[in-house]
Amino acid sequence: MTEIDPSSSAQSAGLSQRYGIGTDRHRLEPGEGLILAGVQIPCELRAVAHSDGDAVLHAVADAILGAAGGTDIGDLFADDDPQWKDLDSSIIVERACQWSAAQGWKPVQVDVVIHLERPKLAEHRDAMKAALARQLSIPVDCVGLKAKTGEGLGPVGEGLAIDTMAVVQLQRAGEK
Ligand code: MG
C-alpha cells in the first residue's frame, strides 16, 4: 500500500481525529463453528473464506485502514494468495494497526454491528468486546458491539450469510 506523505495529510490540516467505516460479508455453510472478533463461537456453521473468516475483524481492519487514508485489507492480504490460507484474522488487524501507526494514527474507539440469524451471540458478547479491546489496545468501554438478526429476510435472514459493519475512531498517536 502506498505510504502517505505526512506533509499533505490531514495531520498538517490540523485534524486530530479520523473516522473509518468497514463492512464484510461471508457465506455460511455447515461446519464446526464461527470465529468472530477472534472468539470461537460454537455452532453448526462455518464461514466460507480463504482466511479464518472472521467477519468482525475484517470489517474492523478495513475501518482502521479507511480512517488512516488507506484502501482495504485486500491490498495487504490477497484472497487468492496461498500463504494467507486459513490466516488468523488478528494478524490482519495487527497489520492494519501497524499501517495506520506508520501514518501517525492509533485506534481509540470501535463500534461493531453483526447481522447473523443464528446462533444467538448474546452469551459471547462480553468475550468479543474484551478480545477487540485487547486487539486494539483500548479500554473495553471504548468497544461497542451489537448483534442483530435479519428478521428472516434476505441472505442473512435465511441463514446463508453473515454481514458485519464497523466504525473506528483514530487519534493522532502520542495524544491522550
Ligand atoms: Mg472477510
Side-chain angles (χ1 to χ4, degrees):
M1 197 178 299
T2 309
E3 294 299 313
I4 296 172
D5 175 3
S7 66
S8 64
S9 76
Q11 293 190 42
S12 61
L15 294 180
S16 59
Q17 273 114 35
R18 302 285 293 271
Y19 299 87
I21 187 169
T23 67
D24 197 33
R25 167 177 286 190
H26 283 269
R27 285 186 291 120
L28 300 174
E29 64 180 15
E32 297 181 345
L34 298 169
I35 301 175
L36 295 174
V39 174
Q40 296 274 349
I41 310 293
C43 62
E44 295 179 351
L45 295 168
R46 68 181 291 274
V48 178
H50 187 63
S51 69
D52 66 6
D54 191 326
V56 170
L57 293 190
H58 296 175
V60 168
D62 269 350
I64 292 167
L65 291 173
T71 54
D72 61 60
I73 59 177
D75 256 14
L76 299 176
F77 300 93
D79 66 6
D80 57 358
D81 188 331
Q83 72 174 310
W84 307 132
K85 181 88 179 82
D86 299 326
L87 176 69
D88 177 346
S89 294
S90 66
I91 293 170
I92 297 176
V93 175
E94 191 178 309
R95 286 277 298 276
C97 287
Q98 288 169 351
W99 192 84
S100 69
Q103 319 310 316
W105 301 100
K106 65 175 183 181
V108 292
Q109 182 193 352
V110 64
D111 195 12
V112 172
V113 182
I114 303 169
H115 292 275
L116 180 67
E117 199 69 6
R118 60 186 171 85
K120 299 296 186 195
L121 296 175
E123 66 182 287
H124 304 290
R125 187 169 49 207
D126 288 348
M128 290 191 283
K129 288 180 67 173
L132 281 171
R134 276 196 305 276
Q135 171 98 51
L136 300 180
S137 300
I138 60 178
V140 74
D141 65 359
C142 294
V143 178
L145 190 145
K146 284 85 68 182
K148 309 175 79 69
T149 73
E151 294 286 340
L153 299 171
V156 169
E158 293 169 15
L160 301 175
I162 178 172
D163 279 351
T164 56
M165 178 179 291
V167 172
V168 167
Q169 180 187 2
L170 303 183
Q171 193 172 69
R172 278 192 200 180
E175 290 191 0
K176 295 280 183 190

